[in-house]
Amino acid sequence: MISDFLDLGLSNEILNAVAELGFEKPTPVQATIIPRLLVEDGDIVCLAQTGTGKTAAFGLPALEYLDVKNPATQVLVLSPTRELCRQIAQDLTGFAKYIQGIRIVSVYGGAGIQGQIKDLEKGAHVIVATPGRLLDLIKRGAADISGIKTLILDEADEMLNMGFKDELDAILEQAPGGRRSLLFSATLPDEVERIAKSYMKDPEIVTVGQRNAGSENVEHFYYMVREEDRYAAMKRIADYNPDIYAIVFCKTREQTQKVADALQRDGYDADALHGDLSQAQRDNVMGRFKRKALHMLVATDVAARGIDVNDLTHVINYNLPQEIELYTHRSGRTGRADKKGVSIAIINQREKGKIRRIEAVIKKQFTKLPVPGAREICERQLAHLIDEINNVEVRDDIYAFMPTINEMWGDMSKDDLVRKVLSYEFNRFFDYYRKAKDLNIPEKEKKGRKDKDGMKDRQDAGEKGKTKKGKDGNPGECEKGFVWMRINLGYKNKVIPRDIVSIMKACGIGKQSVGKIEIFEEYLYVALKSSVAEYAKSQIHGAIYGRRKLSAILLQKK
Ligand code: ADP
Ligand code: MG
């Protein structure tokens, strides 16, 4: 696989723009698709997950082929939502930064059509459109697709899910025969196959990554609580993660609004995004979320569809979706562009089966986590606050006030001062959590069924499993042909051997490559087959587990 943009065959104009965007190496989709589009003919159906860099995969070659001197529309990108259209147009404009005179226009429903007509009148080498609005513009004679050379159907499965079948058919029937068609989709349902068969010329199907699988970089966790504690659990998750930047998925518009309102009332930077809002309201919410003025965006699946935010810390399933497919889409919002992602589900006792079904489809395991308690949350918040204080910039301006500060605080001991400053910020949390109950469901309530994942078991398992408790020390001998890897997770992080096996599995290391495990207070040692040890280390070192950054070192064999 080509691992350098310079080797893909792109022109300098494009390479410079790409470099400025900070793209260091092509993603697998880009490395696979771009050279084909540049040197081969033929239509392509590309199956790839969200967040894999598809826009540049089709966008860069399409821009290469474009003739700026020809005013006709040469590239047409169809996409399911307004947000996505704007995102794609914005990305393409970035890629085309050094292509003089190029015009990229996006048109979509839910916004005034007159302005879009005016935009098109000025010329559009590239149109990025939702199917409904484009058809409307074609009928009005404002858009002309008779000269297009490249037609891109982005997120084709989603366009069909959103009911654009007839519009797509109508547009595809009018598109000129000499074009090249590319279809991108995360899945290949019958309806997408039908489109490919009817309107594409013998397309080659290229699958990048595992089809239907959860994004590789995403870890999946769930918290099990009583139905009435769902919201309280959500709050605990937010409090336990002071740097949270998340999309919270709800089932319905009403619930989305309710949860967002409640979070706001409780003092969080949260807001709702759903179809009942006006476009102006949606733009406002999205703008604030992208600027990080909002830390939690509570959204329905459809509304969240076009959101392209790379550095989400979490995707939270306030409710699990009805369709498992949607879970894949949701969790694909995090762990993008090579970053690690965390997808969390809050479930009640009856929804465990759903977790198992999702696991079967995404081929990854969920880890059950205990809902953080008062003490853990307060500790995390305190550490965060101290961190922020440590990192604050001390400006010269403060020196002018030192006499006053000394006068008022001069007699106070350092300890007293620290306690007072932290309490000032922190009493609110203490007050709230003083009364906080344990949201975890006690064993006996689980209808007598033994739930091995329970928190109590989790602790017991430490004693029963092949682990060694106690202060940190050195591990014993590991199996022949294996080496020890030390990871900065220990008994105090409540890890049990099964978690380690899941972590390894998530990194692509199968059970047979994992040997003995010894867990100490602060660290654990896991024996790995020598042949995979280096790879495992590269995968695990720097990965995020829960909210902990892992560090891994391999112990030399004596
Ligand atoms: P998809 O359409 O497959 O969901 P996008 O094209 O929207 O994915 O890309 C996801 C994110 O990754 C975007 O923010 C994009 O800027 C970023 N990205 C794409 N290609 C690269 C790359 N080669 N290096 C770094 N970031 C990239
Ligand atoms: Mg995309």
Side-chain angles (χ1 to χ4, degrees):
M1 176 106 51
I2 297 176
S3 65
D4 197 325
F5 272 109
L6 297 175
D7 301 330
L8 291 176
L10 294 161
S11 67
N12 284 337
E13 282 91 344
I14 299 251
L15 287 173
N16 288 342
V18 166
E20 276 181 32
L21 290 170
F23 292 10
E24 280 167 12
K25 55 179 191 308
T27 65
V29 177
Q30 292 159 4
T32 312
I33 296 286
I34 294 174
R36 280 179 205 236
L37 292 184
L38 289 178
V39 297
E40 294 167 18
D41 293 322
D43 291 355
I44 295 182
V45 169
C46 175
L47 300 174
Q49 290 296 304
T50 41
T52 49
K54 293 191 284 288
T55 315
F58 65 72
L60 301 179
L63 292 171
E64 289 288 357
Y65 276 122
L66 200 127
D67 175 9
V68 182
K69 287 186 221 91
N70 174 0
T73 299
Q74 298 157 55
V75 179
L76 172 63
V77 183
L78 292 173
S79 136
T81 66
R82 159 201 169 96
E83 279 80 14
L84 221 39
C85 279
R86 300 216 308 200
Q87 184 68 51
I88 294 168
Q90 195 184 326
D91 289 350
L92 295 181
T93 307
F95 303 151
K97 182 174 174 192
Y98 296 108
I99 305 179
Q100 296 296 324
I102 191 166
R103 284 198 42 90
I104 298 166
V105 175
S106 58
V107 296
Y108 36 77
I113 199 164
Q114 290 308 330
Q116 295 177 356
I117 293 177
K118 284 215 181 80
D119 265 355
L120 291 171
E121 274 169 1
K122 289 186 214 143
H125 296 110
V126 180
I127 297 181
V128 186
T130 50
R133 178 54 59 97
L134 180 72
L135 203 58
D136 199 352
L137 287 162
I138 293 175
K139 281 184 190 145
R140 292 174 189 230
D144 176 7
I145 61 167
S146 61
I148 58 166
K149 304 247 171 0
T150 315
L151 170 69
I152 294 137
L153 304 171
D154 193 25
E155 310 223 11
D157 47 352
E158 203 51 34
M159 281 198 279
L160 292 161
N161 282 345
M162 294 189 61
F164 281 132
K165 176 181 173 294
D166 294 343
E167 287 88 346
L168 272 181
D169 281 337
I171 293 169
L172 290 166
E173 258 147 39
Q174 295 183 34
R179 67 170 194 268
R180 174 177 224 177
S181 309
L182 311 171
L183 182 152
F184 290 86
S185 189
T187 57
L188 190 60
D190 292 348
E191 197 40 33
V192 172
E193 249 181 318
R194 178 192 70 84
I195 295 256
K197 278 215 182 85
S198 332
Y199 300 109
M200 297 176 75
K201 290 179 302 270
D202 198 15
E204 183 186 356
I205 297 185
V206 180
T207 305
V208 181
Q210 211 179 0
R211 226 201 278 175
N212 274 347
S215 173
E216 279 308 302
N217 301 328
V218 180
E219 282 191 281
H220 306 264
F221 299 95
Y222 72 90
Y223 295 93
M224 196 195 289
V225 295
R226 293 179 201 90
E227 185 55 40
E228 65 268 27
D229 288 334
R230 203 181 277 277
Y231 178 71
M234 168 72 231
K235 270 180 57 155
R236 298 252 180 125
I237 295 166
D239 287 343
Y240 191 66
N241 296 287
D243 286 321
I244 196 163
Y245 183 50
I247 303 182
V248 179
F249 283 96
C250 292
K251 246 185 236 164
T252 61
R253 296 169 181 195
E254 294 74 40
Q255 190 189 37
T256 303
Q257 193 62 53
K258 240 170 81 185
V259 171
D261 288 346
L263 285 170
Q264 280 180 357
R265 228 181 12 250
D266 288 333
Y268 297 90
D269 301 319
D271 213 335
L273 188 75
H274 55 69
D276 285 347
L277 303 176
S278 70
Q279 289 298 353
Q281 283 171 317
R282 291 173 61 174
D283 286 349
N284 176 290
V285 172
M286 267 321 294
R288 284 186 294 139
F289 189 56
K290 285 201 167 174
R291 286 199 308 278
K292 301 202 175 155
L294 284 181
H295 293 130
M296 284 185 275
L297 182 72
V298 191
T300 56
D301 290 289
V302 172
R305 188 62 204 172
I307 298 172
D308 171 44
V309 177
N310 270 335
D311 41 1
L312 289 180
T313 57
H314 297 78
V315 158
I316 299 177
N317 293 267
Y318 188 84
N319 288 112
L320 283 174
Q322 297 294 0
E323 294 162 45
I324 294 177
E325 193 95 299
L326 280 179
Y327 180 84
T328 312
H329 280 307
R330 289 180 177 186
S331 57
R333 307 270 120 204
T334 181
R336 306 187 101 195
D338 271 354
K339 293 201 179 74
K340 297 281 167 191
V342 176
S343 174
I344 286 178
I346 305 174
I347 65 167
N348 66 31
Q349 290 124 294
R350 286 178 300 282
E351 291 174 309
K352 186 119 171 253
K354 224 172 187 176
I355 293 282
R356 300 291 168 247
R357 286 198 294 281
I358 294 174
E359 283 178 335
V361 173
I362 65 175
K363 302 204 171 55
K364 275 193 172 188
Q365 273 191 331
F366 277 79
T367 307
K368 180 180 179 182
L369 293 178
V371 182
R375 193 186 160 82
E376 289 147 296
I377 289 174
C378 289
E379 239 165 39
R380 285 285 283 252
Q381 287 286 346
L382 205 53
H384 180 71
L385 180 58
I386 294 174
D387 238 24
E388 288 204 321
I389 294 179
N390 282 343
N391 290 332
V392 80
E393 177 198 358
V394 177
R395 304 229 178 102
D396 288 345
D397 309 72
I398 196 75
Y399 292 107
F401 301 97
M402 282 319 287
T404 317
I405 294 172
N406 281 330
E407 194 179 307
M408 300 185 75
W409 262 347
D411 291 338
M412 204 179 306
S413 74
K414 179 189 157 198
D415 283 355
D416 276 347
L417 186 61
V418 166
R419 272 192 285 273
K420 274 191 193 291
V421 169
L422 292 180
S423 300
Y424 177 77
E425 272 292 318
F426 220 67
N427 282 349
R428 174 174 79 90
F429 268 108
F430 288 140
D431 283 344
Y432 177 74
Y433 278 110
R434 184 169 301 131
K435 291 160 276 176
K437 58 171 185 166
D438 183 4
L439 297 185
N440 294 292
I441 301 167
E443 281 306 295
K444 59 180 179 340
E445 240 181 76
K446 290 180 184 164
K447 298 175 198 138
R449 258 191 297 138
K450 253 240 168 341
D451 182 346
K452 286 226 162 155
D453 286 338
M455 182 166 162
K456 189 159 170 304
D457 273 338
R458 177 166 278 268
Q459 278 151 7
D460 291 342
E463 274 145 47
K464 279 189 246 128
K466 45 176 177 175
T467 68
K468 189 155 124 193
K469 261 207 316 173
K471 280 271 165 231
D472 286 353
N474 290 322
E477 286 283 311
C478 64
E479 297 90 334
K480 204 161 170 267
F482 282 64
V483 290
W484 284 118
M485 182 163 77
R486 190 173 87 164
I487 305 179
N488 61 336
L489 278 177
Y491 199 65
K492 70 167 201 195
N493 308 105
K494 300 198 171 71
V495 288
I496 59 171
R498 183 152 25 96
D499 298 336
I500 314 306
V501 175
S502 317
I503 294 176
M504 294 299 159
K505 199 171 158 200
C507 295
I509 313 279
K511 252 190 192 151
Q512 69 287 351
S513 299
V514 180
K516 285 186 190 162
I517 296 173
E518 293 196 10
I519 303 183
F520 292 87
E521 182 81 12
E522 305 259 349
Y523 290 98
L524 65 85
Y525 297 86
V526 49
L528 294 170
K529 236 186 214 153
S530 310
S531 53
V532 302
E534 276 299 336
Y535 171 75
K537 185 187 143 190
S538 73
Q539 293 294 298
I540 288 172
H541 192 74
I544 307 289
Y545 180 76
R547 286 277 287 161
R548 205 178 161 79
K549 190 161 181 190
L550 298 184
S551 96
I553 53 173
L554 292 174
L555 268 56
Q556 294 303 326
K557 267 235 146 127
K558 278 176 229 118

